[in-house]
Amino acid sequence: MTSLHAFRDDALGEHDAVALAELVRDGSVSPQELAAAAIERARAVDPQLDAVACAIYDAPRYHSRSDAALYGVPTFVKDNSDVAGLPTNHGSEAFRARPAAKNGAYTDQFLGTGLTLLGKSRLPEFGFNATTEFMTEPPARNPWDLDRSIGASSGGSAALVAAGVVPIAHANDGGGSIRIPAACGGLVGLKPSRGRHIDGEQVRHVPIHMISEGVLTRTVRDTAAFVAAAENVWRNPKLAPIGEVLGPAQRRLRVGLLTHSVTGAEVDASTRAAVEHTATLLEKAGHVVEPIALPVTEQFAADFVQYWALLADLAVSTGKLILDRSFDAAATDGLTRGLRAHHRRNLHRTPAALRRLQRIPATYARLFAQSEVVVSPVLSHTTPPLGHIAPTVPFPELIDRLTRYVSYTPLNNIAGTPAVSLPMGRTPDGLPVGVQLSAAYGDERTLIELAYLLEAEQPFPRIQEQATNSSTR
């Protein structure tokens, strides 16, 4: 296996975003120096990672207010969110977008935290897949092992953060797209509650709102700092504020342990070990951990696939109107075409599936009458080799592999509840394994507090150490 990282003795060093922002504030380093170091790192490793969709290295965009919490820290925006003057291609080979006229609403909130924009990161077509792979273009690669998937749909952002190009990058999550690449890349990936941040424009065109905006980071405090900074830009008045979370809380919680998914997919040994180890650490800290069962059946999985397929049908059917007149439905990838065909074959099932999915928030909330937090796998198995779930795989085989692999994350999207992926395990060959913590709607604070506890009990894996034990390019 071949790993790759960009860490070096430069202005970025091995600092996280919080540390870099502090260095900028005390005058030890300038935003320009940080941007230059990140650009040099990107140029060094992205030819192998293929994580960048669009670069603006010649003209980084610096925030105008030096008092913003993360002022001067370099970053990338995922290429399904509009950035003024840059194309938004949604990972698709079916069209070539024109430059956006203005920033998307969430882009403004994200960059309003003070971050310096260096470009946009890659995602699979429309964010539908759980790997950042394409029909003809090269895949985004996992820096822990260049022959493996980095997950998706925020795969480009995950690769850049995991490799050390930047400490924080934009991500969003409609079925696991923050948590999956976090699990594959050894990162912290918090999917916020529905409505916690300003919604991206794509939410306006879907019948069930299941997309949350957020970030990928290497440390819990970076995620916590971003959440607090984003609330200072805009806060949903319908949700209690999270505020600044600086460490674990002293309260003891009832924790539900979940190891069986709605699809019945078998969990591999490394993943099960990571979940059980996390449960042991929580018990050691005084929390009460008890096994639980989900209050939903396999019907949920079928309904989610039907909705997923509806979204693919809508994306293709409205492509020329919403995306670009150049949109060519025949040039969409194998997963998009397969999902669309699945929806059209089963069109009569859509109304009932939507009705059942709309009842999920109330059903799922029952879990949190008995547990404040649920611990589970993020994925049923560790990150697969490139090609295993590529859009070139025949659709019947591909959809079977995907529904088995991604069997834990979608429930939080439909329920609208927060969940976080933490790198709590390793495979025998050193790849990171993610564990998911989920909480009741609006309770991100509890997840961040527990994440601090677990990070302190078991420091997260460092790719620099992995590289010393494997061949490195």
Side-chain angles (χ1 to χ4, degrees):
M1 87 190 237
T2 304
S3 61
L4 175 72
H5 73 79
F7 289 101
R8 59 190 67 189
D9 184 16
D10 58 12
L12 293 170
E14 296 191 1
H15 298 301
D16 65 1
V18 170
L20 291 172
E22 290 173 352
L23 291 173
V24 171
R25 277 193 293 276
D26 70 19
S28 298
V29 69
S30 70
Q32 291 75 20
E33 288 173 303
L34 294 183
I39 290 166
E40 184 176 347
R41 289 185 179 197
R43 286 176 168 153
V45 299
D46 195 57
Q48 289 135 296
L49 294 179
D50 280 305
V52 177
C54 175
I56 51 171
Y57 299 156
D58 293 336
R61 298 184 186 178
Y62 301 97
H63 195 266
S64 59
R65 291 183 54 183
S66 61
D67 60 344
L70 297 175
Y71 176 67
V73 178
T75 194
F76 288 80
V77 166
K78 184 175 173 181
D79 192 27
N80 60 358
S81 297
D82 284 350
V83 173
L86 303 181
T88 305
N89 239 90
H90 295 273
S92 179
E93 298 179 28
F95 71 106
R96 284 291 173 264
R98 296 173 176 82
K102 61 180 181 178
N103 283 350
Y106 179 73
T107 301
D108 279 336
Q109 183 181 15
F110 175 73
L111 297 177
T113 63
L115 296 164
T116 298
L117 182 65
L118 302 183
K120 303 186 80 175
S121 62
R122 295 177 81 204
L123 70 155
E125 186 166 74
F126 306 125
F128 290 150
N129 209 339
T131 186
T132 308
E133 297 181 60
F134 308 89
M135 295 298 286
T136 64
E137 294 178 359
R141 295 178 181 272
N142 191 328
W144 289 84
D145 181 349
L146 295 175
D147 293 325
R148 290 186 182 267
S149 169
I150 186 57
S153 64
S154 309
S157 287
L160 292 165
V161 175
V165 173
V166 292
I168 185 171
H170 170 228
N172 45 35
D173 191 316
S177 293
I178 292 175
R179 293 158 289 159
I180 293 168
C184 295
L187 304 174
V188 178
L190 173 68
K191 183 205 89 69
S193 297
R194 179 182 292 133
R196 174 62 72 183
H197 300 316
I198 295 174
D199 290 329
E201 281 66 28
Q202 60 265 43
V203 169
R204 301 173 186 171
H205 307 294
V206 298
I208 296 177
H209 175 0
M210 63 178 191
I211 300 173
S212 293
E213 303 287 342
V215 293
L216 288 160
T217 70
R218 295 190 296 270
T219 65
V220 174
R221 74 170 185 171
D222 274 2
T223 292
F226 174 81
V227 166
E231 279 191 333
N232 287 334
V233 178
W234 179 87
R235 184 175 74 80
N236 186 341
K238 297 179 181 179
L239 286 169
I242 300 170
E244 191 174 12
V245 186
L246 299 175
Q250 297 303 310
R251 60 196 176 111
R252 296 298 174 251
L253 304 171
R254 296 165 296 164
V255 178
L257 176 62
L258 178 67
T259 56
H260 293 88
S261 72
V262 294
T263 65
E266 185 176 349
V267 177
D268 72 9
S270 294
T271 302
R272 181 176 293 276
V275 173
E276 292 174 349
H277 177 60
T278 302
T280 298
L281 291 176
L282 293 173
E283 285 183 318
K284 176 184 172 185
H287 302 292
V288 178
V289 181
E290 295 181 342
I292 59 168
L294 285 172
V296 296
T297 67
E298 286 189 34
Q299 183 64 54
F300 170 78
D303 290 342
F304 187 84
V305 170
Q306 186 66 14
Y307 184 48
W308 188 12
L310 167 63
L311 297 181
D313 199 357
L314 289 173
V316 175
S317 300
T318 63
K320 283 186 177 295
L321 178 65
I322 293 177
L323 298 172
D324 192 84
R325 287 173 296 183
S326 66
F327 184 81
D328 178 7
T332 54
D333 75 17
L335 178 58
T336 300
R337 293 198 304 271
L339 286 169
R340 187 188 193 207
H342 175 88
H343 182 250
R344 298 209 161 189
R345 285 194 305 271
N346 296 278
L347 188 60
H348 60 288
R349 302 182 190 276
T350 297
L354 292 176
R355 286 195 298 271
R356 286 189 292 267
L357 291 174
Q358 287 163 345
R359 293 196 291 266
I360 287 296
T363 301
Y364 187 60
R366 295 175 200 159
L367 271 184
F368 300 102
Q370 62 187 29
S371 304
E372 284 93 358
V373 172
V374 173
V375 177
S376 74
V378 178
L379 297 156
S380 64
H381 60 80
T382 53
T383 184
L386 289 167
H388 179 72
I389 49 174
T392 51
V393 174
F395 181 75
E397 186 176 359
L398 176 57
I399 198 67
D400 178 66
R401 290 179 180 182
L402 282 170
T403 52
R404 289 177 183 277
Y405 181 48
V406 185
S407 51
Y408 289 90
T409 54
L411 188 55
N412 295 102
N413 295 90
I414 298 299
T417 49
V420 63
S421 173
L422 302 173
M424 293 302 298
R426 303 285 287 270
T427 65
D429 56 357
L431 294 175
V433 179
V435 172
Q436 178 170 261
L437 306 181
S438 306
Y441 181 70
D443 194 17
E444 288 92 332
R445 187 176 188 92
T446 294
L447 296 181
I448 296 170
E449 289 169 347
L450 279 184
Y452 269 118
L453 168 68
L454 292 169
E455 184 182 34
E457 287 293 320
Q458 181 183 294
F460 299 152
R462 301 171 72 249
I463 195 170
Q464 303 94 307
E465 295 168 357
Q466 174 78 357
T468 62
N469 296 313
S470 65
S471 173
T472 310
R473 281 183 202 168

